[in-house]
Amino acid sequence: MKGISDPAGVPARRPRPAAVEVDGLVKAYGRLRAVDGASFRIEQGETFALLGPNGAGKSSTIEILEGYHDRTAGEVRVLGVDPRRGGRDWRARLGIVLQSSEERALLTVRQILTQFAAFYPRPRPVQEVIELVGLTAKAGARVSRLSGGQRRRVDVALGIIGRPEVLFLDEPTTGFDPEARRTFWEVIRGLKAEGTTILLTTHYLEEAEQLADRAGILSAGRLVASGAVRELGGAEARVPIVRWREHAGGPLREERSTEPGLFVAALVARLGGEPPQLEVVRPSLEDVYLGLIGADAPAQARQEPQQPQPSRRRARQQDGPQQPGEAGDEQKETVA
């Protein structure tokens, strides 16, 4: 049987299946919909940032994708598998870096990584991972004696040691100083270059700009925007803003202009000189983000659910990838 061809007679390539597919996802806790009909997809090898304020539904979404929560409605597939039915082999293809964790504090960095490496069929060499996360000098130190930032590096190391096809990074650089954060960015870029698909949540919007190909913004459980990072919010949201005062002590004025240079020239001519506190602002991702979530922020602050206990999720990782159904009932109604 001949393959499908385009009009020129060249066999058409079948599109690769997405690494993550989310369609109409709903997660409800009583009357509260923590996730309310979100839909997005993440292509293989892509880095996707899921952004939003606390209580927007990011953690609930990620935990459903990881198989730690059941969903109320919608369709979800990760590496072609419904997370509710993902077994041990499927879990071995995932890497998870939690917001926070409780490690086996009496073990050294090298010991805990060696222990985790045994859970996976094709782990990275332990020493390679230690060097990647910048813990070479602390390899023999007990986890309990590390600083907060160093423990966070251990979390990252545990997430990548199994060579995951899909890596979930839930606010991975919390507690990092600026230098450590930029070093971590290089680690993530290296994983992406190897073909790893990455789902990142972060409150550092510069981090999303640096690492993500595309982003989605959750607000009050709804996905209010999705697309290439530099295109979020549409062209209108990126129009430069001119701010000035007509005279010292006067009210601060602002106006958007697609030609800010011409606008400023006309303003200077009209006022007979440069106005006080003149500035031209080109909206950043942070400006666009705040504009998109602004209307929902007060409601989210009132409705933010209680966060789950991270120790159970970490304990499940320490026990190795689970069999189908083991991501079970005790977790599925925990509020996230």
Side-chain angles (χ1 to χ4, degrees), residues 1-15:
M1 182 176 177
K2 293 184 178 180
I4 301 173
S5 300
D6 65 17
V10 179
R13 292 183 179 180
R14 293 185 177 181

Side-chain angles (χ1 to χ4, degrees), residues 24-108:
L25 177 62
V26 174
K27 178 60 181 176
Y29 300 97
R31 293 183 177 180
L32 172 64
R33 286 197 170 199
V35 187
D36 190 6
S39 298
F40 60 91
R41 59 187 279 138
I42 306 173
E43 305 299 336
Q44 293 182 34
E46 183 178 36
T47 299
F48 186 90
L50 192 60
L51 308 175
N54 291 332
K58 302 188 304 297
S59 291
S60 289
T61 298
I62 286 181
E63 290 174 359
I64 289 167
L65 296 177
E66 294 168 348
Y68 288 102
H69 280 284
D70 203 356
R71 60 189 181 270
T72 304
E75 296 298 324
V76 176
R77 299 187 78 80
V78 178
L79 296 173
V81 175
D82 185 333
R84 290 186 297 195
R85 299 179 176 85
R88 186 180 297 271
D89 291 344
W90 175 76
R91 291 182 180 280
R93 299 166 69 190
L94 308 181
I96 299 173
V97 177
L98 308 176
Q99 286 187 24
S100 59
S101 63
E102 297 174 8
E103 305 298 350
R104 298 180 180 180
L106 296 180
L107 297 179
T108 67

Side-chain angles (χ1 to χ4, degrees), residues 63 102 306-314 331 334-335:
E63 290 174 359
E102 297 174 8
Q306 179 183 357
Q307 290 294 322
Q309 292 298 320
S311 56
R312 289 186 180 180
R313 290 171 70 200
R314 175 62 78 196
Q331 283 284 320
T334 305
V335 177

Side-chain angles (χ1 to χ4, degrees), residues 231-253:
E231 297 174 2
L232 284 174
E236 181 64 27
R238 305 283 176 165
V239 173
I241 301 169
V242 180
R243 294 194 180 105
W244 77 98
R245 297 182 191 274
E246 295 277 318
H247 54 81
L252 185 65
R253 301 189 178 192

Side-chain angles (χ1 to χ4, degrees), residues 53 217-219 224 286-300:
I217 297 178
L218 278 172
S219 183
V224 298
E286 181 173 351
D287 296 318
V288 174
Y289 167 86
L290 291 173
L292 288 168
I293 70 166
D296 290 323
Q300 289 174 131

Side-chain angles (χ1 to χ4, degrees), residues 110-186:
R110 189 182 303 280
Q111 287 170 338
I112 195 169
L113 287 173
T114 300
Q115 183 183 81
F116 266 67
F119 296 151
Y120 297 96
R122 197 173 57 90
R124 288 180 181 272
V126 169
Q127 184 59 35
E128 176 186 314
V129 174
I130 289 173
E131 292 173 2
L132 275 174
V133 299
L135 288 175
T136 302
K138 296 293 183 180
R142 291 183 180 180
V143 174
S144 61
R145 296 181 180 176
L146 300 180
S147 68
Q150 290 167 343
R151 290 191 188 193
R152 197 69 184 124
R153 296 188 192 201
V154 174
D155 290 339
V156 173
L158 295 175
I160 68 175
I161 195 158
R163 297 183 192 271
E165 295 175 48
V166 175
L167 177 61
F168 295 97
L169 297 174
D170 202 358
E171 299 183 25
T173 59
T174 300
F176 279 32
D177 60 48
E179 181 180 1
R181 182 171 294 117
R182 291 181 181 275
T183 299
F184 173 76
W185 292 353
E186 292 306 313

